[in-house]
Amino acid sequence: NAGVTQTPKFRVLKTGQSMTLLCAQDMNHEYMYWYRQDPGMGLRLIHYSVGEGTTAKGEVPDGYNVSRLKKQNFLLGLESAAPSQTSVYFCASSPYRGPFSGANVLTFGAGSRLTVL
Amino acid sequence: GQQLNQSPQSMFIQEGEDVSMNCTSSSIFNTWLWYKQEPGEGPVLLIALYKAGELTSNGRLTAQFGITRKDSFLNISASIPSDVGIYFCAGQGSNYQLIWGAGTKLIIKP
């Protein structure tokens, strides 16, 4: 199994350009997440999805949009990139949530490094 | 909002030494997760904890869910070079959102 696959791995954009990051998971997980990671700040949740056709805002959603048209795919879009969006972006998925063993465990992709000039 | 403090921020250790790191929260968590991230990769789960007081091992790694439900620690015994990386804790509260620590960077002294 591939697990969680992110494309592209690297991208350089100019300010104002748009792009889409693709995340695909082959584990039939219900929940999918987009995080950004900046030095010394850990992981911050951008948007997440609790199932096909649903999306919700996380901690830092401004400047990003997402779509989950198919259960296995979760897309992250930047409509007008800004230098503050230079970061490493991680997609993750989990099968279910709850206060019981095995819940809430996220499987991460390898990351997409985005530089906005 | 909920905050999670992870310490230390970084550690320089000799091969063979034991390592200890911890996370404390301003509020109660129902789940604690410990992840490791190596350069150029995404975080990988090490240990998951679901009950207050729970002590779980994974090889040389041991993690505990604090009795107060506001803290957790991770110990690594007899460190080896492949232990280098960034270790993250994450806690989950009643709203099912994970809160992440800023990470502990483990560096082996040459």
Side-chain angles (χ1 to χ4, degrees), chain A residues 8-22:
Chain A
K9 291 189 182 300
F10 303 94
R11 185 73 188 270
V12 178
L13 289 177
K14 294 181 180 178
T15 296
Q17 286 185 318
S18 63
M19 75 157 296
T20 300
L21 297 177
L22 173 63

Side-chain angles (χ1 to χ4, degrees), chain B residues 16-106:
Chain B
E17 284 184 346
D18 295 343
V19 172
S20 184
M21 60 191 78
N22 69 82
C23 285
T24 57
S25 168
S26 58
S27 54
I28 290 172
F29 284 146
N30 297 320
T31 301
W32 282 98
L33 305 174
W34 285 93
Y35 281 82
K36 179 187 178 186
Q37 185 179 27
E38 299 187 6
E41 300 292 330
V44 174
L45 181 72
L46 298 173
I47 293 176
L49 303 161
Y50 298 98
K51 293 181 181 179
E54 181 179 356
L55 186 71
T56 298
S57 294
N58 178 4
R60 293 178 295 106
L61 278 62
T62 302
Q64 185 161 27
F65 194 140
I67 290 293
T68 65
R69 296 168 64 193
K70 291 185 177 182
D71 60 350
S72 178
F73 71 76
L74 175 70
N75 286 343
I76 305 173
S77 62
S79 58
I80 59 177
S82 62
D83 289 334
V84 299
I86 303 176
Y87 292 79
F88 290 100
C89 63
Q92 183 231 41
S94 57
N95 64 357
Y96 299 121
Q97 294 295 352
L98 280 178
I99 308 297
W100 292 82
T104 295
K105 189 172 185 178
L106 198 61

Side-chain angles (χ1 to χ4, degrees), chain A residues 67-89:
Chain A
S67 65
R68 184 116 180 256
L69 299 179
K70 293 183 179 180
K71 186 177 183 178
Q72 63 268 34
N73 295 337
F74 195 29
L75 278 62
L76 178 71
L78 285 72
E79 290 186 349
S80 180
S84 61
Q85 294 178 303
T86 293
S87 187
V88 181
Y89 292 86

